Amino acid sequence: MKSPTDPYKALKASLKNISKILTRVPESECVSALDHLKVQSYVLLAHAAFEQYIEEIVTLISREAHSQLKQDDRVCRAMLSLVASEAMLQVDDDVARRKIRSSMATDLLGFASSAVSNLTLDIQANHGVTTADQKKLLLQIGVDPEQVDLTVSAALNAFGTKRGSIAHKVKMKTSETRSSVLSETEQILVGLLTFDAAACLQLQEGMAK
């Protein structure tokens, strides 16, 4: 699998489509109440697109890692991370360590399937792009967002916070402008290409079972 992935291409297309909502909004200031509402709506929709990208790339990598194990007996770095995450989850659930070791040794594929299933539940429960949201999903496939690109991770976190302030408060005005939100989302989009490449790398590096 190579970057840019299908989820990244879909994100890029979504942001382009979403930007149409800003038609006729002045570049550097919101003049009317409608301008303010359009800019806030763009932030909400762009946030949803970023959230969807993270969920889709994690889903894609985890399923491909599982497929490699099942069909080729190959354990890639993404699968190692998935298995490690599942082991820690089971320890937290008070499953005996001896039982965990036995399951991994005698039925690695079954253990891996449980890992993918639990990751799917985490994806379904996800509702943000903050640093905590990023790590909860991406670390399970071996991608540490802050190590891959701290600036992009921080920008996503800030965007998630911005979205929260809009979604949970009734405000007719915003300090954001068409120019500022478009610039911010473009920078995040370009930066996410490093996340995309890092995710693909987790599939490329590995070993035979």
Side-chain angles (χ1 to χ4, degrees):
M1 187 177 298
K2 295 182 179 180
S3 180
T5 61
D6 287 342
Y8 184 85
K9 293 174 183 176
L11 169 63
K12 189 173 183 179
S14 291
L15 289 177
K16 182 177 181 180
N17 190 46
I18 292 167
S19 67
K20 295 176 183 177
I21 199 172
L22 297 175
T23 300
R24 297 182 181 177
V25 175
E27 285 290 327
S28 57
E29 65 175 334
C30 291
V31 177
S32 66
L34 183 58
D35 292 340
H36 287 282
L37 290 174
K38 283 185 174 182
V39 169
Q40 292 182 71
S41 296
Y42 175 81
V43 171
L44 294 175
L45 291 170
H47 177 278
F50 288 136
E51 183 180 306
Q52 183 174 338
Y53 165 72
I54 293 175
E55 294 168 359
E56 288 185 351
I57 191 64
V58 170
T59 298
L60 181 66
I61 298 300
S62 63
R63 288 180 178 175
E64 178 60 26
H66 186 269
S67 177
Q68 287 184 12
L69 176 61
K70 184 177 182 179
Q71 297 179 12
D72 305 321
D73 273 347
R74 184 175 184 274
V75 181
C76 63
R77 288 175 61 178
M79 179 51 66
L80 288 174
S81 296
L82 281 163
V83 168
S85 296
E86 178 64 17
M88 289 188 290
L89 177 64
Q90 291 193 16
V91 169
D92 289 341
D93 289 341
D94 293 328
V95 178
R97 286 181 171 82
R98 183 177 298 176
K99 183 176 181 180
I100 295 172
R101 288 198 300 269
S102 176
S103 296
M104 292 175 66
T106 61
D107 186 15
L108 180 58
L109 181 59
F111 198 84
S113 296
S114 294
V116 174
S117 294
N118 284 322
L119 174 56
T120 299
L121 293 176
D122 287 338
I123 291 171
Q124 292 172 348
N126 181 59
H127 296 293
V129 297
T130 64
T131 302
D133 296 320
Q134 297 168 43
K135 286 191 169 186
K136 185 168 185 179
L137 299 185
L138 289 167
L139 282 176
Q140 292 190 61
I141 60 167
V143 176
D144 185 334
E146 292 186 311
Q147 286 191 5
V148 172
D149 195 320
L150 180 59
T151 301
V152 176
S153 180
L156 265 177
N157 183 71
F159 199 78
T161 302
K162 180 181 299 182
R163 173 262 181 190
S165 67
I166 292 174
H168 301 296
K169 294 180 181 178
V170 179
K171 296 190 300 182
M172 291 300 293
K173 291 187 177 182
T174 176
S175 59
E176 301 295 334
T177 65
R178 170 183 173 144
S179 178
S180 68
V181 294
L182 286 176
S183 176
E184 186 175 6
T185 53
E186 178 63 22
Q187 289 175 357
I188 294 174
L189 174 65
V190 172
L192 280 175
L193 199 55
T194 59
F195 283 28
D196 205 61
C200 290
L201 188 62
Q202 301 308 301
L203 291 174
Q204 297 164 10
E205 297 184 353
M207 58 185 179
K209 179 181 171 186

